[in-house]
Amino acid sequence: MNDKGIRKNIEKIILKKKFENVAVKVENKVVYLTGKVNSYDAFLDLGLRIGKKKNVEGVVNNLEYPNKERKEKKKGSASKIGKADVVIVGGGVIGSSIARELSKYKLRVILVEKASDVACGTTKANNAMVHTGIGENMGTLKQKLCVKGQQMFEKISDELNVPYKQNGMWIITTKDSLAKMKLPSFISDFIAKRIIPMIVLRRGKKLGITMNLTKRRELLKREPNITKKVLAGIYSPTYGITCPYLFTIALAENAMENGVEVMLNTEVVDIVTKESKVESVVTTKGIIDANFVINAAGLYTDEIAGMAGAREYTIHPKKGATLIFDKKANEYINHSMSMLRFPRTKHYKGGGAMTTIDGNIQWGPTISETPDKEDTTVTTEDIEKMFESYSPLLEDFPEKLVITYFSGLRACTFTEDFIIKSSKKIKGFVHAAGIQSPGLTAAPAIAEMTISLLKNEGLKLEAKNNFDPYNKKKIVTRDLSNEEKKKLIEKNPQYGEIVCRCEQVTKGEVVDAIHSKIPALSIDAIKRRTRAGMGRCQGGFCLPNIVKILAQETDIPIEKILKNEGGSDLFIGRAKCLLEDKYDEN
Amino acid sequence: MNDDVTCISCPLGCRIHVEKKGDRITVVGHMCKKGEEYAIQEVKDPRRVLTTTVKIEGGRQCLLPVRSEKQIPKDLVKKCVIELSKIGIKAPIKCGDLVYKNILETGANIIATRDVESVEKK
Amino acid sequence: MMKTDVTVIGGGPAGLAAALKAAEKADVMLLERNKELGGILPQCIHDGFGNFIFKKMLTGPEYAQHYIDKIKKSNIKVKTETTVLEIDTNKNIIATNSIDGIMEIQAESIILAMGCRERTRSQILVPGTRPAGIYTAGTAQRLINIDGVMPGEKIVILGSGDVGLIMARRFTLEGAKVEGVYEIMPRPSGLTRNVVQCLDDYGIPLHLSHTVTSIKGKKRVEGVTVTKVDESMKPVKETEMFIPCDCLILAVGLIPENELSKQINIIMDERTKGATVNERMETSVPGIFACGNVVHVYDLVDDVTITAEIAGKNAAQYVKEKPETTEEIQVVAGDNIGYVVPQIINNRDLDSVTLYFRVQREKKDASIVVLDGKKQVFEKKERIVKPPEMIKITLSKKTLTALTKNELRIDVRCRK
């Protein structure tokens, strides 16, 4: 179907749904919407309806809606950084994967990240599952890259020396799986027990995913705390877990080790093109001349693309909230489990009771739309939703043992699939956009695909002969035997001093994090690398310790220490600072 | 003058109403003698022990906890704390050491409430 | 491998008193994870400690200094900045520090004195963002009084526990503005004295039946939404109010820190969240004692010291001679009683036993009665009993020896 045909179809939707002030343009199978709607819901509704249409490759939704946030354009710096072969925008798992992949070649590669650390956006709040691909729609890019990415995950994790486990997952059906359909129970039970598992198994076979159907009795034996309402279970042994930020940090550090330059606290404000070709990238730190740009900016990919004049999609963030439980609840399940429910609702898209790489149980993630790209609130509704959705999975689960909850935003497009391709408008500009689940799993495959796109765009790739794929193992004292600890402390006494008691993190590990290749210069950056503050006291005990170590090891004064980004100061000043203003009152 | 006082002499926490007409003080709402005495004191001349911290130079701690040796008028507590925020004291310090004499003419001395070693001394 | 008679884990008020008492009769080693001894006392710079033991109002650091001085003069082996990683029922301890590395310590008896930790935001499920500027009251106290940094200047305090009340005053004196203290219960959870001297004295409002229902702020706290709650503690949406502030302090309770106790499957009391102990402060594992806030959260440090000395004395005694347990009287929390400590009396042949407990509901003109089966063996009248105020009663030798049943029940009744 050509652009004209697509346009006709869309005009029909607009007419049928009575959108009055909307204009449509279609170019290279990308739909551009302008005009006005009366709510964000309407903005979403129309975008999603169009995105679902066959042949539509992208929806740029420029519709106005009430209270739409306007962004002020940031100023760039005019100083010259120099010439790079490739600039990667964004230091999430995608940008970092691509950076490492590119570091195999003789190129000058610069990765720019606006935050003070890598893995700070969507990557950070991922629930860490390395999916098999069974949950994705057949034939999507998401599925293809997920299946491929999963096959690559173990090797890369080994090379980078980051934890990865194939801990398996149960996909279960219960008496509630079809509750919304209001069928007679003998029918819905039959479907849940026989039909659904059959479909899942068949799909698995097609994709080459190992899966075993398990009888209810056997399942109850293997997972004694699973809900008594369970009807059938399919065990998927290759389901994996990683740690999204350790994985990303390791990718970025390995890329640096192999020559990639990582510029943190650097925001892209403009991309200069000439004759529809990328010329340079203007950042808050200066200008980088480059003919190839990879857009891996997550939630901001649409804005970055816009800077280059290559806007071919619009991001509509979807929030996902997760609850984490105390280690005390770890023994409650042996494998992650997810319950199938039909029909899939707007707010329930799977998720489940999952184990993290550290063994904690997590519930989630939820799914809900939000217009704000920085809206990481966890609302009362989110919390209620999680209890409602995941509590029925297990019998008598100690729900009070919540130690933390957080939410993150998925960078979804209206076509709801990954968009990994070269811009049709701007030469040298490559999109790695629309990355939602299973983006983490797919990251290695996305990186490979991006490299081949760059090649097609004309980038010369000459392999290095000194590429070193390995990262040194970082010291994690709690994983060591007492004998190993003894030897280690003899060499460096700091590994004997515990600063975070819940997670048993030593001073040595905190110091290592502060002085690592990508230095951890905030409390959260240290937390992500060492787990200090992630336990049940949530930093109550270790925060003052970590603050002190950070001040000692750097030149940051204690009262200027940040929780994460600039402006997130932990303190307002030294003690007595507020009294100085009151001297005159005396 | 009228005043309501919550008694802290026992867990009962009586709300005691105190009325002052010239020299005559009437107390209503108390359950015991202690309560009456407390209420009258609270209205006539409420006093508190002052506790705060003072900056230390050259100590293994950066702050020294201090208190007033005896109670001072309640109204002066804030002023005294501000006064004490201006000073710094040199380590080493022993618990009980005098930090500030007769603060704001209250007749109360401010004393250290712990030992602080100096940095050099390990 | 190091050997000692008694190893005390934790150098707060409980550990200090227990170690000193045990050291009168035995070799003692004291392990403390912080740089200095005293536990939380050094940061509790306010007065109100020691009224019972010293008959005067001391500050926290002074109270601690008294015991620290004694420890210095004793022959107790003290190891600070030392964290215990493992213990087992044979009283083997694995601990770590930067000087000795990984230590294996073989003790005859262990005293658990790890204290308690603060409940966090997650345990009460406060929704919202996760900006900088949210601290538990105890952490804020440490930051201001020891580390010398100010966590904020416009403060909202959630929860009216004692540490929260004390911090309301402390923040005010340091020049910050405390916008209010919000308590979900219809009554304050701290002591009346603290409500009067920390809030009323400074005109800080206490809003009962209110809670924080959302936290706003991307980088630092920008404000919180507070909401009134109904009788079933559910927030009433129409009463939502936004309060701009840059700091939220949580004073929502303390929990005994029993991670180590759980390694050896000590029997725990679900209500206290601490180990079940007998009148000698011995846990269900023979030779392992517990004292202080690791058993249950006390109101007064004086009571911690007193019970810790009982633990210390008996731990040293245990080294000399393992007592034979002949009987077991269960102390049962009856009407209107949340919990009782000790939960078990193993030996009635004592001069006295003091029982500590809290009531569940406030009652005026109350009568505390102790029942041996159906027979009343003790009565004490109180004008008022309140959940925040711990009650203690002492059963005399005469009462104890006259007991006949293996269950002792405490009821709090209304006299009228």
Side-chain angles (χ1 to χ4, degrees):
Chain A
M1 194 184 282
N2 61 12
D3 288 351
K4 218 171 163 185
I6 293 172
R7 196 181 143 170
K8 258 194 183 153
N9 274 342
I10 288 163
E11 277 171 345
K12 264 187 224 159
I13 298 175
I14 293 173
L15 211 67
K16 198 173 151 198
K17 291 288 155 192
K18 298 191 175 118
F19 286 99
E20 283 171 3
N21 303 308
V22 177
V24 193
K25 194 178 86 179
V26 183
E27 202 182 322
N28 296 324
K29 298 189 178 175
V30 176
V31 180
Y32 295 81
L33 295 173
T34 49
K36 226 163 52 182
V37 287
N38 50 22
S39 69
Y40 185 69
D41 280 346
F43 167 92
L44 284 176
D45 180 49
L46 187 57
L48 287 168
R49 275 174 199 280
I50 295 169
K52 268 193 203 124
K53 284 277 151 203
K54 260 203 171 156
N55 299 313
V56 170
E57 288 185 10
V59 181
V60 177
N61 189 344
N62 284 328
L63 292 170
E64 296 293 323
Y65 52 87
N67 303 320
K68 190 172 181 174
E69 220 180 317
R70 306 258 164 259
K71 257 201 199 154
E72 255 177 65
K73 229 184 143 182
K74 270 207 180 158
K75 265 208 170 146
S77 154
S79 67
K80 289 269 179 195
I81 292 171
K83 166 108 183 136
D85 294 301
V86 185
V87 172
I88 302 166
V89 185
V93 70
I94 303 300
S96 302
S97 292
I98 295 168
R100 179 175 185 258
E101 205 52 40
L102 279 175
S103 74
K104 294 175 180 170
Y105 303 96
K106 290 179 183 165
L107 298 167
R108 184 179 181 199
V109 179
I110 301 178
L111 183 151
V112 290
E113 166 57 51
K114 70 171 181 166
S116 60
D117 195 2
V118 294
C120 271
T122 300
T123 302
K124 177 176 70 178
N126 190 290
N127 82 337
M129 301 305 293
V130 179
H131 298 276
T132 56
I134 191 78
E136 304 307 324
N137 290 333
M138 297 300 273
T140 55
L141 187 58
K142 279 202 274 192
Q143 188 178 57
K144 190 179 135 201
L145 295 177
C146 177
V147 172
K148 192 169 176 209
Q150 208 219 18
Q151 289 160 2
M152 300 165 77
F153 225 92
E154 186 162 12
K155 180 168 174 266
I156 295 180
S157 301
D158 277 352
E159 287 172 349
L160 297 176
N161 244 315
V162 289
Y164 172 67
K165 255 193 275 189
Q166 285 199 344
N167 197 36
M169 181 158 93
W170 292 107
I171 299 164
I172 62 163
T173 56
T174 78
K175 282 180 172 299
D176 296 328
S177 285
L178 300 166
K180 283 231 166 74
M181 294 204 172
K182 302 219 162 77
L183 298 166
S185 71
F186 73 95
I187 296 180
S188 64
D189 285 3
F190 178 78
I191 298 174
K193 199 169 177 171
R194 305 258 183 243
I195 311 283
I196 298 172
M198 206 177 72
I199 297 170
V200 174
L201 286 172
R202 191 178 292 167
R203 187 187 263 211
K205 207 169 176 187
K206 226 178 198 174
L207 293 166
I209 303 166
T210 318
M211 287 199 292
N212 314 312
L213 184 63
T214 309
K215 290 226 172 79
R216 183 173 183 273
R217 215 174 49 198
E218 169 76 10
L219 177 57
L220 285 168
K221 220 191 269 170
R222 289 173 63 183
E223 295 286 352
N225 294 313
I226 206 165
T227 171
K228 298 282 177 284
K229 285 186 176 175
V230 72
L231 291 172
I234 299 157
Y235 184 62
S236 179
T238 52
Y239 241 94
I241 338 167
T242 179
C243 170
Y245 28 88
L246 287 186
F247 183 66
T248 304
I249 293 164
L251 283 165
E253 291 190 337
N254 186 250
M256 287 168 86
E257 206 62 64
N258 288 297
V260 171
E261 293 155 64
V262 173
M263 293 177 67
L264 298 170
N265 299 305
T266 308
E267 190 171 344
V268 173
V269 295
D270 200 9
I271 294 166
V272 180
T273 57
K274 200 174 159 190
E275 290 159 3
S276 296
K277 267 170 75 180
V278 174
E279 281 248 314
S280 64
V281 177
V282 186
T283 75
T284 48
K285 291 265 176 78
I287 299 164
I288 310 166
D289 294 326
N291 295 118
F292 297 92
V293 171
I294 295 165
N295 181 9
L299 290 158
Y300 300 90
T301 40
D302 52 351
E303 291 166 42
I304 296 291
M307 291 173 192
R311 197 161 181 150
E312 287 155 29
Y313 42 84
T314 292
I315 299 295
H316 61 104
K318 279 191 216 168
K319 191 159 74 176
T322 301
L323 280 175
I324 306 266
F325 292 90
D326 195 300
K327 284 179 186 164
K328 284 178 201 159
N330 286 12
E331 310 299 313
Y332 226 75
I333 55 174
N334 295 315
H335 304 282
S336 296
M337 51 186 72
S338 180
M339 172 179 156
L340 293 176
R341 268 183 239 221
F342 296 96
R344 290 192 172 187
T345 64
K346 223 163 130 190
H347 298 289
Y348 183 85
K349 246 195 164 169
M354 313 290 189
T355 53
T356 67
I357 193 79
D358 301 291
N360 300 66
I361 292 177
Q362 56 176 340
W363 282 4
T366 58
I367 194 154
S368 58
E369 298 276 356
T370 170
D372 181 354
K373 287 181 177 176
E374 285 171 31
D375 171 19
T376 52
T377 50
V378 176
T379 63
T380 312
E381 295 76 49
D382 291 330
I383 293 173
E384 280 167 4
K385 200 80 221 166
M386 283 188 271
F387 276 91
E388 194 189 308
S389 304
Y390 307 115
S391 182
L393 274 168
L394 296 161
E395 300 281 336
D396 306 319
F397 185 73
E399 292 172 356
K400 281 199 173 150
L401 294 178
V402 174
I403 52 169
T404 191
Y405 37 87
F406 55 82
S407 70
L409 297 165
R410 307 170 176 93
C412 306
T413 62
F414 289 106
T415 43
E416 301 284 354
D417 199 358
F418 296 158
I419 297 181
I420 320 286
K421 58 182 174 193
S422 306
S423 166
K424 287 178 183 165
K425 289 179 161 177
I426 305 297
K427 199 166 164 48
F429 193 85
V430 176
H431 302 291
I435 310 296
Q436 49 174 306
S437 177
L440 173 65
T441 311
I446 292 172
E448 271 194 2
M449 185 172 170
T450 312
I451 307 300
S452 67
L453 289 172
L454 282 171
K455 207 172 159 187
N456 292 341
E457 286 290 287
L459 179 70
K460 280 214 177 68
L461 296 171
E462 193 187 332
K464 276 180 196 163
N465 46 20
N466 58 349
F467 170 75
D468 181 0
Y470 299 103
N471 273 3
K472 265 221 305 239
K473 186 158 176 63
K474 297 202 170 169
I475 291 168
V476 180
T477 52
R478 69 175 163 275
D479 293 344
L480 303 177
S481 70
N482 286 334
E483 279 313 306
E484 290 169 312
K485 282 182 197 166
K486 264 185 204 164
K487 275 188 206 142
L488 186 65
I489 299 165
E490 264 168 43
K491 267 191 255 163
N492 182 349
Q494 288 183 335
Y495 293 112
E497 190 185 332
I498 294 210
V499 290
C500 163
R501 66 188 185 212
C502 302
E503 296 296 320
Q504 300 201 340
V505 181
T506 63
K507 185 177 177 181
E509 290 157 71
V510 173
V511 172
D512 287 348
I514 294 169
H515 299 300
S516 58
K517 194 109 197 157
I518 298 175
L521 299 177
S522 70
I523 299 300
D524 284 359
I526 292 172
K527 177 161 123 180
R528 285 194 288 274
R529 284 161 177 80
T530 64
R531 290 189 63 77
M534 276 194 195
R536 56 181 67 94
C537 90
Q538 287 289 296
F541 172 79
C542 67
L543 180 89
N545 294 336
I546 308 282
V547 164
K548 238 184 238 166
I549 298 169
L550 189 48
Q552 274 163 9
E553 296 290 323
T554 63
D555 51 5
I556 311 169
I558 187 165
E559 69 274 17
K560 298 271 184 232
I561 303 252
L562 300 174
K563 181 174 188 285
N564 40 56
E565 294 308 301
S568 67
D569 296 58
L570 285 171
F571 315 116
I572 56 159
R574 294 272 178 155
K576 317 287 170 206
C577 67
L578 295 173
L579 294 173
E580 283 160 21
D581 309 337
K582 304 199 174 184
Y583 286 174
D584 307 335
E585 292 170 28
N586 240 11
Chain B
M1 195 194 101
N2 290 322
D3 236 326
D4 278 325
V5 174
T6 305
C7 181
I8 61 164
S9 308
C10 81
L12 213 50
C14 295
R15 286 295 284 175
I16 306 176
H17 182 72
V18 188
E19 261 185 60
K20 206 171 158 190
K21 270 188 192 151
D23 282 349
R24 247 192 57 196
I25 294 178
T26 40
V27 182
V28 192
H30 60 286
M31 304 273 283
C32 68
K33 187 78 190 151
K34 258 191 183 167
E36 186 179 357
E37 282 167 13
Y38 173 81
I40 293 171
Q41 175 72 28
E42 275 295 286
V43 171
K44 271 167 79 177
D45 180 21
R47 285 177 170 263
R48 300 286 184 265
V49 168
L50 157 77
T51 60
T52 185
T53 54
V54 166
K55 284 175 263 182
I56 310 177
E57 290 158 29
R60 290 182 67 183
Q61 306 268 136
C62 63
L63 294 170
L64 173 71
V66 298
R67 71 172 166 93
S68 58
E69 256 183 326
K70 55 181 185 184
Q71 295 194 325
I72 61 165
K74 191 172 103 176
D75 292 346
L76 289 176
V77 169
K78 269 190 178 178
K79 279 190 176 175
C80 290
V81 169
I82 292 170
E83 187 59 27
L84 287 168
S85 73
K86 296 174 187 169
I87 65 163
I89 181 162
K90 279 207 172 73
I93 301 143
K94 281 305 242 184
C95 185
D97 281 359
L98 180 67
V99 173
Y100 200 112
K101 212 172 154 93
N102 185 19
I103 188 149
L104 300 183
E105 307 297 323
T106 54
N109 293 331
I110 302 297
I111 56 166
T113 57
R114 64 166 291 167
D115 294 355
V116 177
E117 291 171 18
S118 56
V119 189
E120 304 87 61
K121 201 184 144 197
K122 267 250 164 171
Chain C
M1 171 86 77
M2 299 180 207
K3 281 192 174 190
T4 65
D5 292 343
V6 179
T7 300
V8 181
I9 305 176
L16 293 173
L20 282 166
K21 199 73 195 172
E24 290 173 12
K25 299 266 172 64
D27 277 340
V28 178
M29 183 183 271
L30 174 61
L31 308 175
E32 163 59 41
R33 65 186 165 213
N34 265 332
K35 238 186 190 88
E36 60 174 357
L37 294 174
I40 201 167
L41 286 171
Q43 70 186 52
C44 299
I45 62 158
H46 54 282
D47 69 315
F49 300 86
N51 199 17
F52 203 76
I53 292 180
F54 298 100
K55 308 289 174 229
K56 57 182 171 185
M57 288 289 209
L58 298 175
T59 62
E62 286 170 307
Y63 193 96
Q65 193 78 56
H66 174 87
Y67 291 92
I68 292 168
D69 288 346
K70 277 189 167 175
I71 293 266
K72 279 183 186 157
K73 283 180 202 142
S74 73
N75 50 15
I76 297 168
K77 285 189 273 311
V78 178
K79 294 204 175 285
T80 54
E81 289 179 275
T82 303
T83 303
V84 174
L85 302 174
E86 292 165 35
I87 57 174
D88 67 23
T89 45
N90 295 325
K91 286 105 186 170
N92 288 313
I93 296 170
I94 307 236
T96 175
N97 69 21
S98 56
I99 299 160
D100 307 274
I102 298 290
M103 285 173 273
E104 287 150 68
I105 304 158
Q106 166 75 63
E108 296 282 313
S109 167
I110 295 176
I111 300 174
L112 304 172
M114 292 88 73
C116 58
R117 77 185 132 83
E118 299 180 276
R119 290 179 75 199
T120 67
R121 164 189 181 178
S122 308
Q123 284 155 327
I124 51 169
L125 295 172
V126 184
T129 50
R130 305 198 305 152
I134 307 170
Y135 299 94
T136 53
T139 302
Q141 187 177 44
R142 192 202 141 113
L143 291 167
I144 297 180
N145 292 344
I146 308 269
D147 301 318
V149 283
M150 278 301 280
E153 60 177 324
K154 260 169 98 76
I155 320 289
V156 165
I157 299 179
L158 174 61
S160 60
D162 285 309
V163 198
L165 299 175
I166 290 193
M167 286 316 292
R169 174 174 65 187
R170 191 73 198 108
F171 268 112
T172 308
L173 288 177
E174 281 289 326
K177 171 99 172 67
V178 178
E179 300 292 332
V181 176
Y182 295 84
E183 168 61 54
I184 194 165
M185 303 294 282
R187 53 173 168 78
S189 22
L191 301 171
T192 309
R193 187 182 73 186
N194 287 330
V195 174
V196 172
Q197 295 200 341
C198 299
L199 302 187
D200 298 354
D201 272 8
Y202 298 92
I204 299 165
L206 170 62
H207 303 273
L208 298 173
S209 299
H210 273 77
T211 191
V212 170
T213 48
S214 187
I215 298 169
K216 192 185 166 211
K218 277 175 183 164
K219 290 172 173 175
R220 250 202 90 96
V221 174
E222 289 161 22
V224 297
T225 303
V226 296
T227 312
K228 207 170 157 43
V229 297
D230 61 19
E231 290 84 21
S232 55
M233 307 239 266
K234 288 262 174 299
V236 183
K237 187 127 180 80
E238 301 74 56
T239 62
E240 275 183 3
M241 204 167 76
F242 182 74
I243 301 175
C245 62
D246 68 348
C247 184
L248 174 66
I249 298 296
L250 301 168
V252 289
L254 303 168
I255 313 169
E257 179 135 321
N258 274 297
E259 273 51 69
L260 285 174
S261 324
K262 283 173 191 167
Q263 284 184 6
I264 45 171
N265 297 321
I266 283 178
I267 296 174
M268 305 293 288
D269 184 332
E270 264 314 300
R271 294 158 301 181
T272 56
K273 305 263 182 278
T276 303
V277 291
N278 64 16
E279 78 285 355
R280 296 182 296 121
M281 301 307 284
E282 188 180 23
T283 67
S284 60
V285 179
I288 297 194
F289 297 78
C291 58
N293 285 351
V294 78
V295 177
H296 64 137
V297 180
Y298 288 84
D299 292 347
L300 300 176
V301 70
D302 302 66
D303 288 327
V304 168
T305 302
I306 292 164
T307 48
E309 285 177 347
I310 295 174
K313 183 182 147 202
N314 287 298
Q317 181 62 36
Y318 180 89
V319 176
K320 298 246 149 24
E321 185 190 355
K322 322 264 175 288
E324 260 177 57
T325 304
T326 49
E327 59 183 338
E328 184 167 302
I329 301 172
Q330 295 283 340
V331 186
V332 176
D335 293 344
N336 193 20
I337 294 191
Y339 68 79
V340 189
V341 172
Q343 293 88 342
I344 292 160
I345 297 176
N346 278 136
N347 183 0
R348 288 184 289 133
D349 191 19
L350 290 166
D351 289 340
S352 67
V353 169
T354 300
L355 302 173
Y356 294 83
F357 55 91
R358 280 182 205 278
V359 294
Q360 289 167 314
R361 296 171 301 275
E362 182 172 318
K363 276 275 174 299
K364 279 190 179 152
D365 299 310
S367 168
I368 298 159
V369 296
V370 178
L371 301 166
D372 179 30
K374 284 192 173 152
K375 195 175 136 214
Q376 181 173 320
V377 293
F378 177 93
E379 182 176 18
K380 189 182 178 192
K381 294 187 168 86
E382 289 283 353
R383 276 222 292 248
I384 193 163
V385 290
K386 291 178 176 178
E389 321 249 356
M390 184 177 290
I391 305 169
K392 52 180 174 175
I393 57 171
T394 301
L395 303 181
S396 65
K397 190 178 183 89
K398 205 178 135 197
T399 311
L400 288 165
T401 44
L403 297 179
T404 56
K405 301 278 192 298
N406 54 9
E407 191 182 288
L408 201 61
R409 178 188 161 104
I410 309 181
D411 282 344
V412 171
R413 297 170 180 168
C414 208
R415 272 184 282 148
K416 284 171 184 165

